[in-house]
Amino acid sequence: MCNEEAVLAVKDLKTYFYCKGRVVKAVDGVSIDVYKGRITAIIGGSGSGKSVMSLSILNLIDKPGKIVDGQVLLHGKDLLKFSEKELRGIRGRQIAMIFQEPSCALNPVVKVKKHMYEAVRIHDKGARMNNLLDGFRQTLLRVGLSEPDRVLESYPFELSGGMCQRVMVAMGLVTNAEVLIADEPTSSLDLTTQAEILEELLRLKEEGMAVILITHDLGVVAQTADDMYVIKDGKIVESGTVREVFANPKNEYTRYLMDPITIHN
Amino acid sequence: MNIVEVKSLYKSYTKSKPTKYAVHNVSLGIEHGEILGLVGESGCGKSTLGALMLKLIEPTKGEIWFDGKNITNLTFRNMRKIRSHMQIVFQGSSNAFNPYHTVRQIISEPMDNYTKFSSAEKERKILACLESVGLGAEHIERYSGELSGGQRQRIGIARALILDPKFVVCDEAVSSVDYGLKKQILKILYDLKQEKGFTYLFISHDMAAINAVCDRVAVMYLGNLVEILPSTDATALHPYTKALMAATLEPDPKIKKKKLVLFNESGDFSYPHGGCPFQSRCLYASEKCRTEDQLLREISDGHFVACHLI
Amino acid sequence: MFKSIVRKFFRNKTAVLGLIVALLLVLIGIFAEQVAPHDAYAVDISQKLLNPCAEYPMGTDQMGRCILSRLILGTRTSLFSAIIVTAIILLIGVPLGVIAGYVGGVTDNIIMRMADVASTFPSSLLALAIVGIFGPSLRNLVFVFIFLWWAPFARMVRSQVMKIKETEYVLAAVAAGDSRFKIIVRHILPNTISSIIVYATLRIAAVIAHIASFSFIGLGSQPPTADWGVMLNDGRQFITSHPLMLVWPGLMIAIVVLAFNSLGEGLNDAMTPTSEEGAVVKETGAVNV
């Protein structure tokens, strides 16, 4: 897909869930490459394992789940071999993550500036709020929040869903993350807000960030992504650049997803 | 003829002054046998309007007509006599069903109230209804918590349609399901309409779903109707509808949109007092838009717009 | 559904222990006379202030009465008055809470103002006043608790009902043509019942502790009644010479309160629907549509 070296490479990842003597192979041998300045889409239906995969990248899988095999290479270093302490340095700092429901990920009684400050402090204990505020304003402007001062002093519940999602992106940016994992970032948002967030992701990509976009919406993929992987039952069934795949879908499931909804004429 | 019609309907949830309306001066009729789409962003009052049409909640002002009768002031008891003709399908959230009821209890509830079927007859009806939404006898003993989102969605449809109502409100009925399932459910709804002649109010924020099944589309913004399109391929005129259409993503990388956002993003979201509800986010708002109220006007046959600029 | 609650409850060891202790105490209370080795009221000064021995496993008090027998009879007094108080506040609080929450408006206002009045009385002051007027007795104390404690109960039920009233399944029941009565009985009450049970269990523990403390200061049961609070009071004078006289009833109160509390907490945990199984299913999509 790209000749450059991948920022993040997932190699033959297997995450299984063990419940009631059954093994559910949520992710079963998935390999993906993520490049700088490109948006890589992971597309699949509900229960396809796409979210489990994104959690596996940051080693956030809890019991009864377990990463059984595979590697997650960030600049060639395997994250799965890192200790919990080392991983904490990676999460947020080098790999940022945003979720479907932004309001759930932000504590409603903590001001936005405190959220951003905490994000920085995980890595830089000596950081002082007053020295950081200018940087925060710049970052908020960068993610398209035109009144940074008001936003910094707001509580998450005072902001709209789209604004919360932008704050989440901004929290990833203040720590200069290289990779952004966006897990269904727009599924719970309105069309117009979805458009705002997607434009944001495109802008971040232009600035050189590597973005993993997890979604079930082919429209989102077609309009924003560069590379895509179609995942079904924990396995990649088709991959390639978005143009290639859309022009010539080889897998039956991909073709099914692309078949437009036509019921009424 | 309109099966449902609301006239200058208002609904406010709070008593604070100045009054904030979830539904503000809405007049809208739904014809027999049509599927009317109702779009708008979350919190714009579209679900409230749907619930008002069935009188699940009481309006603050205005009139509601059903099947040629004014039902605005009917009591709870009198409403029960006509409820079998009107039903609602909710988003298949876990809250849509009593967690202590099995699928059988859920679906048979309307029949218990309106029919005198024997239990064998009810059972047969329930099975037939489950089958029509693509589920089987193995689901009948399950609790809603044991069902997946897509199954819950279809149970909701089965509950609404068991009595063959004339009018069904589908409130975000396909919003929480993935693409493949969305197609299936839309197909089910459409086939049932063809077969039994139901009328739907199809509430959604998903333009693709709306375009797939609806005859007409009403667009709502902050409690107001801003446009009624006579068909799904009619050209949108209101700036908000245009923004909505622009934000709809084509699943084809060859038709890449230049710009997805077509309104003032940082605008004030709060409800303006006086003037057009969209004024603070509209790119074209003029002085007139801030001061003068604008009601829906008929631009061409069946196409209504509320905008000073058109 | 019911099965999974039971399974979850029985996985929680402290809660099961609480349940066993609570059941045991109820049985002991019912069969107090049969279980007690001696007559709890038989005074025998010659046998006074004995240390624990084979005849009197927990020793005797200043009147030579068997402490174990008195504890066992005290179970009946404490536990049963607590159960009666809780049952009556249930009978008052639940219907009032349901009506206030479901009907709303003026009715709600009236009921809630009544509840406000009940909750603004400090319980010890009111107890003092009532006892001052009608004389100290367990019965008067029970009235005080009923008068005060229906209010938080009604308020809890009301807030639950108001929440449930707004849910989609209640709206769907309205749309399905249910009568108001049916909506309350079939949809609203079953969904509040878990909180009611939990709250009632915890309330029993609180009533026991209160009755004991009021009896201890002489406002509740009167000597020579076999009551844990009265026994504590009796033991006060002998705290240095015969500390066990205080230890036994104190221990008993602690055990009962702990048992009912852990039972309540266990029920609460078991009835909160967060099955780990469900979480796995959601994560992995193990259930196919």
Side-chain angles (χ1 to χ4, degrees):
Chain A
M1 294 187 202
C2 186
N3 297 325
E4 247 181 276
E5 201 196 326
V7 180
L8 183 84
V10 175
K11 295 216 185 304
D12 200 28
L13 184 74
K14 289 180 181 165
T15 307
Y16 294 173
F17 281 78
Y18 299 89
C19 54
K20 281 192 178 171
R22 258 185 331 153
V23 181
V24 179
K25 297 179 177 181
V27 176
D28 195 16
V30 165
S31 301
I32 61 167
D33 294 307
V34 183
Y35 301 95
K36 190 173 183 311
R38 288 177 84 82
I39 295 182
T40 307
I42 316 285
I43 178 161
S46 55
S48 59
K50 55 192 196 306
S51 288
V52 175
M53 193 210 71
S54 70
L55 292 173
S56 304
I57 289 177
L58 290 174
N59 206 347
L60 288 170
I61 298 294
D62 276 331
K63 274 188 176 174
K66 195 169 176 262
I67 299 174
V68 232
D69 197 14
Q71 292 175 307
V72 177
L73 303 169
L74 180 71
H75 292 303
K77 274 178 275 176
D78 189 357
L79 296 186
L80 299 181
K81 295 213 173 69
F82 278 34
S83 69
E84 182 59 25
K85 200 175 159 195
E86 287 170 310
L87 270 174
R88 238 176 290 153
I90 301 286
R91 289 180 201 141
R93 187 189 199 131
Q94 281 174 288
I95 304 178
M97 192 156 182
I98 58 176
F99 298 93
Q100 183 167 0
E101 198 56 71
S103 44
C104 292
L106 295 169
N107 185 342
V109 295
V110 173
K111 281 187 183 172
V112 167
K113 65 176 182 190
K114 190 84 192 283
H115 274 290
M116 297 183 74
Y117 173 59
E118 292 294 332
V120 175
R121 236 176 54 120
I122 298 173
H123 321 293
D124 182 5
K125 285 271 183 283
R128 299 287 298 274
M129 177 85 93
N130 289 340
N131 306 336
L132 293 169
L133 282 178
D134 266 338
F136 288 174
R137 280 189 204 106
Q138 294 302 320
T139 318
L140 289 176
L141 281 172
R142 229 174 109 197
V143 297
L145 291 164
S146 57
E147 293 172 89
D149 287 304
R150 187 174 72 86
V151 173
L152 279 175
E153 292 299 326
S154 304
Y155 293 97
F157 70 86
E158 296 173 315
L159 304 174
S160 68
M163 289 166 96
C164 280
Q165 199 60 289
R166 281 161 197 256
V167 169
M168 287 295 295
V169 176
M171 283 166 62
L173 289 179
V174 288
T175 57
N176 297 315
E178 295 169 75
V179 181
L180 177 73
I181 303 176
D183 189 351
E184 303 263 8
T186 58
S187 304
S188 67
L189 303 174
D190 292 308
L191 271 187
T192 47
T193 325
Q194 161 169 305
E196 291 170 31
I197 296 296
L198 293 181
E199 287 213 338
E200 209 53 60
L201 292 183
L202 286 171
R203 197 145 55 208
L204 290 175
K205 167 192 123 166
E206 294 301 319
E207 290 175 13
M209 194 180 250
V211 181
I212 302 178
L213 177 63
I214 294 157
T215 179
H216 66 259
D217 187 338
L218 249 105
V220 171
V221 176
Q223 295 297 325
T224 55
D226 302 293
D227 306 316
M228 67 185 280
Y229 292 85
V230 182
I231 186 168
K232 183 172 189 275
D233 298 332
K235 291 192 173 71
I236 301 286
V237 295
E238 180 145 15
S239 64
T241 65
V242 169
R243 275 178 183 276
E244 278 168 18
V245 175
F246 272 85
N248 185 16
K250 294 193 177 64
N251 186 277
E252 197 187 334
Y253 181 66
T254 318
R255 280 204 293 271
Y256 169 72
L257 286 179
M258 285 181 186
D259 182 24
I261 309 179
T262 44
I263 290 168
H264 167 56
N265 294 308
Chain B
M1 197 192 105
N2 287 336
I3 180 157
V4 183
E5 190 169 0
V6 294
K7 295 174 183 171
S8 323
L9 201 64
Y10 290 79
K11 173 70 187 177
S12 133
Y13 284 105
T14 53
K15 285 182 185 141
S16 63
K17 297 269 172 177
T19 322
K20 276 187 182 169
Y21 289 102
V23 168
H24 183 265
N25 197 4
V26 168
S27 301
L28 180 66
I30 304 175
E31 277 169 44
H32 258 293
E34 81 166 333
I35 304 186
L36 176 68
L38 183 59
V39 279
E41 53 195 18
S42 52
C44 74
K46 54 192 196 299
S47 294
T48 306
L49 182 59
L52 281 169
M53 284 186 176
L54 303 186
K55 250 176 72 87
L56 294 176
I57 49 179
E58 295 294 320
T60 310
K61 253 195 300 192
E63 286 177 12
I64 306 162
W65 289 69
F66 181 79
D67 224 1
K69 281 194 298 276
N70 185 346
I71 61 166
T72 321
N73 295 316
L74 286 191
T75 58
F76 188 92
R77 197 178 301 242
N78 285 330
M79 272 308 290
R80 283 183 62 204
K81 291 178 191 148
I82 55 168
R83 288 219 179 272
S84 59
H85 303 304
M86 43 167 84
Q87 281 299 326
I88 185 160
V89 180
F90 290 106
Q91 193 167 350
S93 67
S94 46
N95 237 345
F97 307 105
N98 188 335
Y100 294 95
H101 283 193
T102 60
V103 167
R104 176 188 286 113
Q105 284 171 297
I106 290 166
I107 301 181
S108 75
E109 188 149 25
M111 285 196 290
D112 298 341
N113 291 328
Y114 289 107
T115 63
K116 296 211 161 39
F117 295 146
S118 66
S119 48
E121 230 169 328
K122 274 184 197 161
E123 192 78 8
R124 202 176 45 75
K125 278 242 170 198
I126 291 170
L127 284 173
C129 194
L130 277 177
E131 199 187 328
S132 73
V133 294
L135 296 172
E138 69 274 18
H139 300 104
I140 205 163
E141 294 290 353
R142 303 240 184 113
Y143 292 97
S144 64
E146 299 169 333
L147 300 170
S148 69
Q151 288 169 335
R152 277 204 293 263
Q153 193 71 76
R154 285 181 278 178
I155 297 297
I157 294 173
R159 168 174 65 187
L161 303 187
I162 187 99
L163 290 177
D164 291 349
K166 294 180 189 162
F167 174 58
V168 183
V169 173
C170 299
D171 189 355
E172 300 281 11
V174 293
S175 305
S176 62
V177 295
D178 70 7
Y179 184 79
L181 204 62
K182 187 185 291 181
K183 257 198 272 193
Q184 278 183 36
I185 290 175
L186 289 174
K187 186 99 176 55
I188 290 167
L189 287 172
Y190 192 74
D191 289 349
L192 286 169
K193 177 212 145 169
Q194 295 296 74
E195 196 182 311
K196 305 192 170 169
F198 298 150
T199 307
Y200 292 114
L201 174 68
F202 191 85
I203 301 171
S204 182
H205 65 256
D206 180 346
M207 285 306 288
I210 294 257
N211 286 333
V213 293
C214 295
D215 300 308
R216 290 194 298 150
V217 184
V219 184
M220 224 174 157
Y221 184 78
L222 283 184
N224 293 263
L225 279 185
V226 294
E227 184 158 12
I228 300 173
L229 297 167
S231 69
T232 49
D233 41 20
T235 319
L237 293 174
H238 195 282
Y240 178 66
T241 320
K242 280 186 194 161
L244 265 184
M245 298 292 182
T248 310
L249 303 173
E250 284 301 328
D252 186 348
K254 279 182 295 220
I255 344 177
K256 238 177 198 166
K257 294 238 169 88
K258 291 259 155 37
K259 184 138 179 66
L260 300 171
V261 181
L262 277 184
F263 54 80
N264 191 354
E265 292 173 46
S266 54
D268 188 3
F269 291 88
S270 60
Y271 194 84
H273 299 289
C276 172
F278 192 53
Q279 55 176 277
S280 50
R281 293 170 79 193
C282 186
L283 295 177
Y284 320 101
S286 65
E287 196 47 43
K288 201 178 172 194
C289 300
R290 296 185 214 290
T291 48
E292 273 178 54
D293 285 359
Q294 172 68 67
L295 290 178
L296 284 176
R297 283 181 298 140
E298 188 157 10
I299 298 293
S300 55
D301 196 23
H303 191 163
F304 295 81
V305 186
C307 182
H308 286 298
L309 304 164
I310 292 145
Chain C
M1 179 112 209
F2 180 69
K3 252 194 236 157
S4 79
I5 290 175
V6 173
R7 204 178 317 126
K8 216 163 142 199
F9 178 83
F10 278 99
R11 237 181 282 152
N12 182 345
K13 290 197 183 71
T14 29
V16 174
L17 195 67
L19 177 70
I20 293 171
V21 173
L23 282 179
L24 214 64
L25 284 165
V26 171
L27 285 177
I28 290 177
I30 294 171
F31 301 107
E33 276 91 0
Q34 285 75 19
V35 179
H38 297 275
D39 181 352
Y41 294 101
V43 177
D44 183 355
I45 300 295
S46 65
Q47 300 285 321
K48 73 170 187 181
L49 297 172
L50 289 182
N51 280 331
C53 56
E55 175 78 15
Y56 300 104
M58 288 183 181
T60 57
D61 64 6
Q62 78 281 13
M63 313 262 243
R65 295 171 295 197
C66 171
I67 292 182
L68 177 62
S69 306
R70 285 179 66 72
L71 274 186
I72 288 172
L73 251 88
T75 310
R76 177 180 288 173
T77 330
S78 308
L79 200 57
F80 285 16
S81 42
I83 289 173
I84 289 169
V85 169
T86 310
I88 295 176
I89 58 178
L90 267 176
L91 282 177
I92 301 172
V94 173
L96 283 181
V98 168
I99 293 168
Y102 191 74
V103 180
V106 185
T107 324
D108 178 28
N109 244 320
I110 292 171
I111 295 175
M112 280 306 109
R113 292 302 78 76
M114 275 159 53
D116 285 346
V117 171
S119 354
T120 43
F121 279 108
S123 59
S124 33
L125 272 186
L126 186 75
L128 273 174
I130 297 275
V131 166
I133 297 166
F134 299 104
S137 82
L138 186 60
R139 209 187 52 195
N140 290 345
L141 207 56
V142 162
F143 278 126
V144 173
F145 291 146
I146 291 169
F147 179 74
L148 293 175
W149 283 343
W150 69 269
F153 216 97
R155 208 172 270 136
M156 189 271 295
V157 172
R158 169 181 174 264
S159 72
Q160 289 275 326
V161 170
M162 284 172 76
K163 205 170 73 197
I164 294 168
K165 199 174 79 168
E166 302 290 321
T167 58
E168 290 177 349
Y169 61 81
V170 170
L171 286 186
V174 175
D178 284 7
S179 65
R180 284 194 173 103
F181 181 75
K182 193 170 170 192
I183 289 170
I184 289 175
V185 173
R186 265 177 68 106
H187 296 285
I188 292 180
L189 273 183
N191 284 291
T192 48
I193 214 91
S194 60
S195 341
I196 291 176
I197 292 176
V198 172
Y199 200 84
T201 318
L202 296 175
R203 184 49 74 190
I204 288 179
V207 177
I208 290 174
H210 271 80
I211 288 181
S213 56
F214 277 102
S215 297
F216 175 70
I217 55 173
L219 298 178
S221 307
Q222 294 303 306
T225 317
D227 180 293
W228 300 336
V230 173
M231 290 172 72
L232 271 179
N233 195 13
D234 288 344
R236 224 160 25 111
Q237 313 156 37
F238 306 96
I239 190 160
T240 44
S241 55
H242 296 84
L244 277 180
M245 267 184 77
L246 272 158
V247 169
W248 296 125
L251 206 61
M252 202 65 193
I253 293 167
I255 288 172
V256 177
V257 172
L258 266 177
F260 276 94
N261 268 333
S262 58
L263 173 61
E265 301 283 347
L267 285 172
N268 193 11
D269 288 346
M271 285 173 171
T272 316
T274 48
S275 84
E276 47 217 74
E277 240 168 78
V280 173
V281 168
K282 242 180 238 158
E283 277 294 336
T284 61
V287 171
N288 287 314
V289 182

